[in-house]
Amino acid sequence: MKDLAVLREFISIFTLFVEATTRTQAEKCVPISLVAPSILGIYYDLENELKLCKYTSSLCNVLLKSLKERFGGLLLNLEIPVDDHLKHRSTFHLFSDDIFLISSFLDGQFRLRWILQSALSQDTKNRLCDKIKRMAAQAAFQIHDSAPNVQGAVGAEPETTSTAIDNSQFVGKDSFDNSVTPKRKSLFAYCETSQVLLKKRRINIMDEIRGGTLPLLY
């Protein structure tokens, strides 16, 4: 029985790692937009597993330490504390780039849901949502100002674009048999309920930044 319990804990710990790997290798996928939601989801899942596991707590601690060493810059951007004495891997500061937050916001399957549905405190969620919307707006203005023939485009209507990504291949599928896995976990369960709505909507991204349509997509 102990062997089975250990196996179940191992499977539960690595379930989200498997899902993240599978999704980033999908044919219809924008991998960069998956980074921040995946890291945030895996981080809090490991924190939760550490409280629940009986035999694999050392494994959870090692994985959390590795996550902070490799993605510490991103975690700090998400207001998650990282020990200053922790070793910094070569990727530590690379993942502090704003592009990882902006790209998730511009991805139709995430928007700000990955922040709002996380285990972050409500105050932190509010600050991060405002921060990400400001960053997206600033990036949009920079691109607009640097584009050629800007003067000729002043009177043009803002472009409306559909940013939803087809994620139906993952909906309703488990990575493991439920008879082995004690609980069904998913990195982006909050995305599955709104896939149909996102596929049918055409969204003006500037309206979202101003807050016009975001409440409908939470």
Side-chain angles (χ1 to χ4, degrees):
M1 293 297 294
K2 178 181 177 181
D3 290 344
L4 181 58
V6 172
L7 177 60
R8 284 178 172 172
E9 287 188 9
F10 265 90
I11 292 175
S12 184
I13 288 171
F14 285 108
T15 294
L16 298 192
F17 286 90
V18 172
E19 182 181 356
T21 302
T22 302
R23 285 175 180 265
T24 54
Q25 294 177 348
E27 182 177 348
K28 295 181 179 179
C29 173
V30 183
I32 193 171
S33 68
L34 296 172
V35 174
S38 297
I39 296 303
L40 184 63
I42 289 173
Y43 173 82
Y44 277 114
D45 182 67
L46 288 174
E47 289 277 3
N48 184 58
E49 290 290 347
L50 188 58
K51 299 174 184 176
L52 299 176
C53 63
K54 182 178 179 180
Y55 304 104
T56 55
S57 58
S58 59
L59 174 61
C60 285
N61 281 319
V62 169
L63 291 173
L64 278 168
K65 181 174 179 289
S66 177
L67 200 71
K68 292 177 181 179
E69 289 176 347
R70 299 172 187 277
F71 303 99
L74 176 58
L75 294 175
L76 288 173
N77 263 354
L78 296 172
E79 300 189 20
I80 295 175
V82 176
D83 191 344
D84 292 335
H85 302 292
L86 200 66
K87 179 180 179 181
H88 291 185
R89 301 284 184 176
S90 59
T91 57
F92 185 96
H93 294 293
L94 293 177
F95 283 97
S96 64
D97 196 296
D98 293 343
I99 189 61
F100 295 103
L101 302 182
I102 296 173
S103 60
S104 297
F105 173 71
L106 297 179
D107 190 326
Q109 64 180 325
F110 296 126
R111 301 293 187 226
L112 294 173
R113 283 189 298 275
W114 64 282
I115 296 289
L116 297 172
Q117 299 296 326
S118 71
L120 293 165
S121 69
Q122 189 58 50
D123 288 341
T124 301
K125 291 177 182 179
N126 293 338
R127 286 194 300 271
L128 286 175
C129 287
D130 290 340
K131 172 185 175 182
I132 292 171
K133 286 192 283 186
R134 284 197 304 270
M135 290 191 302
Q138 290 171 358
F141 291 139
Q142 288 174 358
I143 293 173
H144 181 273
D145 291 341
S146 62
N149 301 321
V150 172
Q151 292 182 350
V154 170
E157 291 293 325
E159 182 179 357
T160 300
T161 181
S162 175
T163 54
I165 293 178
D166 185 0
N167 200 35
S168 58
Q169 58 184 311
F170 300 109
V171 177
K173 295 184 179 180
D174 289 324
S175 298
F176 299 97
D177 192 310
N178 283 334
S179 63
V180 178
T181 308
K183 56 183 178 180
R184 181 179 184 271
K185 296 193 296 186
S186 175
L187 269 175
F188 315 121
Y190 51 83
C191 293
E192 298 177 359
T193 57
S194 58
Q195 279 298 313
V196 175
L197 174 64
L198 287 173
K199 288 179 182 179
K200 291 182 178 180
R201 292 178 61 88
R202 293 187 65 82
I203 300 162
N204 186 312
I205 196 62
M206 290 307 296
D207 287 343
E208 289 209 19
I209 292 173
R210 289 192 292 266
T213 58
L214 278 172
L216 299 176
L217 299 174
Y218 289 167

